Amino acid sequence: MLKQLLFNTDKRCLYKFVYNLGVKGTLSFNRFQKRLKKGEFFPAFHFISVTDDCNLNCQGCWVMGKKKNNRLSAEQLDQIITETKAQGSYFFGILGGEPLLYKPLFDIFRKHADCYFQLFTNGTLLTPDVAEQLRQCGNVTPLISFEGDETVADVRRGGKNVYQRTRQAIENATGAGLVTGVAMSVCKSNIDLALSHDFIQSLIDRGVLYLWYYIFRPVGENASVELSLSKQEIEQLRSYMVDARTKYKIAIIDAYWDEDGNGLCPAASGLSHHINASGYIEPCPVIQFATDRVGDQPLADIYRSSLFLKELKTEIPRKTSGCILMEDPIWLVDYVEKHGAIDTSGRNNEAARLRAMPVVCSHGSGTPIPEKNWMYRFAKKRAFFGLGAYG
């Protein structure tokens, strides 16, 4: 894996990956920890959904069904990044919708060349020209969603020929020398593929450097609760990842477990929060409620004064180490109503949907399975990107 990173990655991309993400990312996490010890809070990094626009219609997507699609202005996005950098944090997850539909995107990447961005994309718009633009920026890693084989991918993503288009996107990205990742939202319809040797080996053969598994979370207009994993399947996924980390030449990322296999919630830990395309600051992308909005006051002041976000960090761990939306959706509705949080889903029915949603298992439901690989144990203790900060 290291050999592939060193010799197959564009040198500019390699430098930005090592310095902007590795060195500055670790320093930013250390600053985050120091703030917590002082009783202060500002996230280690932000997820930012730059637009609600998308060219697919996925099961379990949090932006589908909105009465009106929104998008951040370039000025708003620049403000978020600038204020976050002032706190010593330089890593950002860029989401949508489909972020490649956001016109100011590459201008932002170029303007903030001292940052590192993870671009969450369905891949269908990642053409050779787009890959070349990303190579020239150097400070972006595309994370390409891969949701199943020829049949499953079209159903999961609500499109046509998604499997082939995704494979082509991977080849475009690795061919340009980008630090390329693949993500899979593991659910009942794709778990067999997710846990197969052939799947991981095919990614390695194509030059993919990291694979990020995360658990399907039922949300949005087409929540598809029936796709949620059972406790047994979650334990099966966790066990497979722990073993895979000892034998495959690819980094395997998860968002949900610490080095001892205990569940964690990045929002409850304060590692990350989500800013949606309307500028609302949400605990995470799937908890679509907020009391605060970008621009109302500086971000540092918002995080200093928001009781909604502050109490969430103490209340959720009392309930679960997993996903509160999945394990106790009614409690979540009661909590947001207690704080007078508004529905930021754009559908105006999120509270009612959660009250009617059945309880499903999450990563906090299974038996802890400790890491076997010492490097992953070390990373999850000491590095921000190993502690579930991708979650």
Side-chain angles (χ1 to χ4, degrees), residues 196-207:
S196 70
H197 164 79
D198 290 346
F199 170 62
I200 294 185
Q201 191 59 51
S202 71
L203 299 181
I204 296 171
D205 294 342
R206 287 178 170 81

Side-chain angles (χ1 to χ4, degrees), residues 61-256:
C61 176
W62 60 77
V63 303
M64 291 294 106
K66 293 196 172 194
K67 298 182 184 301
K68 177 186 176 183
N69 280 2
N70 291 287
R71 57 200 62 84
L72 292 173
S73 68
E75 291 75 20
Q76 286 176 306
L77 182 54
D78 179 67
Q79 175 191 349
I80 294 166
I81 295 171
T82 300
E83 291 188 21
T84 303
K85 289 197 298 184
Q87 299 296 318
S89 295
Y90 294 85
F91 178 81
F92 301 87
I94 303 298
L95 304 85
E98 170 51 54
L100 287 175
L101 290 170
Y102 182 71
K103 292 182 180 179
L105 187 63
F106 289 95
D107 290 337
I108 291 292
F109 291 158
R110 287 186 284 265
K111 181 174 182 178
H112 295 280
D114 56 340
C115 294
Y116 201 80
F117 300 92
Q118 188 175 40
L119 180 68
F120 292 67
T121 175
N122 62 44
T124 59
L125 303 178
L126 209 167
T127 63
D129 178 64
V130 168
E132 174 59 21
Q133 290 186 65
L134 293 174
R135 187 195 68 79
Q136 292 176 14
C137 291
N139 59 340
V140 185
T141 173
L143 182 62
I144 302 167
S145 295
F146 198 106
E147 294 301 314
D149 58 20
E150 291 93 335
T151 301
V152 173
D154 282 1
V155 175
R156 284 279 293 112
R157 308 296 276 175
K160 294 183 178 180
N161 300 319
V162 175
Y163 174 77
Q164 295 297 340
R165 294 156 74 187
T166 302
R167 289 184 57 171
Q168 186 60 55
I170 294 170
E171 292 177 8
N172 292 341
T174 57
L178 304 180
V179 176
T180 303
V182 164
M184 178 178 283
S185 176
V186 184
C187 63
K188 287 190 181 296
S189 64
N190 63 21
I191 189 169
D192 289 341
L193 177 66
L195 306 186
S196 70
H197 164 79
D198 290 346
F199 170 62
I200 294 185
Q201 191 59 51
S202 71
L203 299 181
I204 296 171
D205 294 342
R206 287 178 170 81
V208 174
L209 289 169
Y210 66 99
L211 169 60
W212 178 20
Y213 287 117
Y214 55 101
I215 293 171
F216 176 82
R217 292 172 289 181
V219 68
E221 181 184 42
N222 183 16
S224 303
V225 178
E226 70 279 1
L227 293 178
S228 301
L229 298 178
S230 67
K231 177 182 176 181
Q232 180 182 10
E233 289 166 333
I234 291 171
E235 290 179 345
Q236 183 183 9
L237 172 63
R238 170 65 181 166
S239 179
Y240 181 83
M241 288 192 298
V242 168
D243 289 337
R245 284 171 173 147
T246 67
K247 59 184 179 181
Y248 287 109
K249 298 177 181 179
I250 187 172
I252 298 187
I253 308 296
D254 71 72
Y256 307 110

